[in-house]
Amino acid sequence: MYNPIRRYIQGKAHVGRFFYRFGAFVFKSITTMLDNKRLQKQRDDHEDLLIIKDVAYLNDNNKYHLLDIYKRKDSKGDEPVILVIHGGGLMYGDKDLNRFSNMELARRGYTVVAISYPLVPKVTFYDQLHDCFKALGFLDENKKEYNLDMNHLFLWGDSAGGLLSFSITSINYQPELQKVFDIKLDKPYSIKGLGLISSMKAVKRDDNSGIIYRVAITRKQKKLDCYEYLCDMSKTLHKKYMVPAIITTSDLDMIKPDPTILHEIYTKEEVRHIYLDYPSKEHKLEHVFPILYPHYQESQEIFNTADALFKSLL
């Protein structure tokens, strides 16, 4: 049966870009309301942590060019760095979405840096990749000031943040990709591993997130040499340039095919990784549940497993 609403959210309806941009606005409004309600119910207990808020990684007075730094108060300054890139379908969210899971990572002996980045449709996925590299450049340039061990760097991302995380890693280690994405690096950053929580694998999609493609890539960008990668960054994953990862999903993960495919790629390329697929038991384990509910037993298992993997890579 023909369903115009489903075709619209899948990005298949023949409507103008304005209407897809409006759909992105509606998505952002609804998810903001739901997340604010959830976050208000969670206990903000961080007496054991030092949190440096709202550091500008670009001096342009843009609230989406800010980052937060989390450390234990007993930090000696030699902890590995985890760069956290939040999710939200590229269209929603900021660094504060992950603050409770950031605390869990910091408590395990890491310096956690959580960034915001400008959102689609005001910018594109291409722009977001560039901004993430600018954040990395800022951290590298200011590593002494903030006592950051950039020789032991991990990326952690949920949903769209996972897509950005493995995309950055692919570009970081492949000079040919740096060329087509017009990203200039003097040398690659020392990215040792990834935490991919219910990670997206592609922008161009056939599921109920298809609207992302309509607003994240412009017509002009379809002519770029990197266009096929902008559509599906999993095409950049090749054994020589991949790093170990923990990949997680669950039975109620609305984009479960994506982390499953990433697991299959890692398996095919014979790259070390841990794949965790949780069934719902005591709780409904939804998309990115470790970020939403870090106190769940299953979430704690994920943090502990990631911790063991990351420390084995030091």
Side-chain angles (χ1 to χ4, degrees):
M1 181 178 177
Y2 179 74
N3 188 328
I5 296 177
R6 173 162 291 185
R7 286 183 61 81
Y8 172 74
I9 63 176
Q10 290 178 340
K12 298 177 181 178
H14 296 292
V15 297
R17 182 173 171 83
F18 168 81
F19 291 97
Y20 280 116
R21 290 171 68 94
F22 178 74
F25 170 77
V26 172
F27 167 80
K28 180 178 180 178
S29 299
I30 294 173
T31 48
T32 298
M33 178 185 67
L34 294 174
D35 266 323
N36 285 340
K37 185 176 180 180
R38 171 184 59 82
L39 289 168
Q40 287 171 4
K41 291 181 179 179
Q42 292 180 284
R43 185 177 178 182
D44 192 356
D45 183 7
H46 58 268
E47 288 80 5
D48 56 329
L49 300 174
L50 170 66
I51 303 176
I52 304 172
K53 294 284 293 181
D54 296 334
V55 177
Y57 63 88
L58 287 178
N59 291 316
D60 58 0
N61 295 317
N62 186 332
K63 69 176 183 178
Y64 291 108
H65 285 149
L66 300 176
L67 59 83
D68 297 338
I69 301 173
Y70 297 72
K71 296 184 178 187
R72 293 195 317 205
K73 285 187 175 177
D74 62 357
S75 166
K76 296 179 180 178
D78 57 353
E79 296 87 356
V81 174
I82 298 180
L83 177 67
V84 174
I85 307 176
H86 70 82
L90 305 174
M91 302 183 290
Y92 155 74
D94 59 31
K95 56 187 172 56
D96 287 330
L97 279 182
N98 295 50
R99 64 179 180 268
F100 296 111
S101 56
N102 293 342
M103 294 176 193
E104 292 294 336
L105 293 171
R107 289 186 177 109
R108 285 163 172 80
Y110 300 89
T111 298
V112 176
V113 180
I115 65 170
S116 295
Y117 52 89
L119 303 170
V120 167
K122 288 189 175 181
V123 301
T124 65
F125 177 50
Y126 179 91
D127 299 322
Q128 291 171 331
L129 288 168
H130 277 252
D131 279 356
C132 288
F133 273 102
K134 290 173 183 175
L136 278 170
F138 172 86
L139 295 176
D140 196 47
E141 291 171 6
N142 295 275
K143 57 190 175 186
K144 290 185 179 179
E145 179 177 353
Y146 294 105
N147 220 352
L148 303 172
D149 181 2
M150 294 295 287
N151 292 318
H152 298 99
L153 174 65
F154 300 91
L155 303 189
W156 178 280
D158 59 288
S159 195
L163 169 65
L164 286 164
S165 294
F166 79 75
S167 300
I168 291 164
T169 305
S170 291
I171 295 170
N172 180 67
Y173 286 122
Q174 298 184 60
E176 59 273 26
L177 289 182
Q178 294 168 28
K179 183 176 180 180
V180 298
F181 279 95
D182 193 26
I183 290 174
K184 297 176 176 61
L185 300 178
D186 293 332
K187 61 179 181 178
Y189 297 104
S190 298
I191 302 173
K192 304 296 185 183
L194 299 174
L196 303 177
I197 311 301
S198 295
S199 177
M200 286 172 55
K201 82 167 189 74
V203 168
K204 193 171 185 179
R205 332 176 46 80
D206 293 322
D207 60 12
N208 287 340
S209 302
I211 191 175
I212 296 172
Y213 170 72
R214 291 288 189 171
V215 293
I217 301 174
T218 64
R219 290 181 181 178
K220 186 177 180 181
Q221 289 173 346
K222 292 179 180 180
K223 299 178 182 179
L224 297 176
D225 291 338
C226 61
Y227 171 63
E228 68 169 312
Y229 300 126
L230 288 173
C231 290
D232 186 354
M233 288 298 293
S234 71
K235 293 180 179 180
T236 68
L237 295 173
H238 308 292
K239 181 175 183 177
K240 183 179 178 181
Y241 305 107
M242 294 166 69
V243 299
I246 176 171
I247 303 169
T248 74
T249 187
S250 57
D251 58 348
L252 299 181
D253 188 350
M254 63 184 180
I255 62 166
K256 185 170 183 174
D258 285 40
T260 303
I261 291 172
L262 291 175
H263 161 57
E264 291 170 353
I265 293 172
Y266 263 80
T267 301
K268 180 182 177 181
E269 297 293 327
E270 298 181 318
V271 178
R272 181 182 175 189
H273 71 291
I274 299 170
Y275 177 64
L276 300 176
D277 181 359
Y278 282 89
S280 295
K281 294 180 180 178
E282 183 179 352
H283 308 284
K284 291 183 178 180
L285 300 182
E286 304 165 338
H287 181 58
V288 303
F289 73 85
I291 310 303
L292 301 177
Y293 307 106
H295 62 282
Y296 283 0
Q297 178 182 341
E298 296 88 346
S299 302
Q300 290 293 311
E301 289 178 2
I302 288 172
F303 295 130
N304 290 335
T305 303
D307 179 37
L309 173 64
F310 289 176
K311 285 178 178 169
S312 74
L313 300 171
L314 297 177

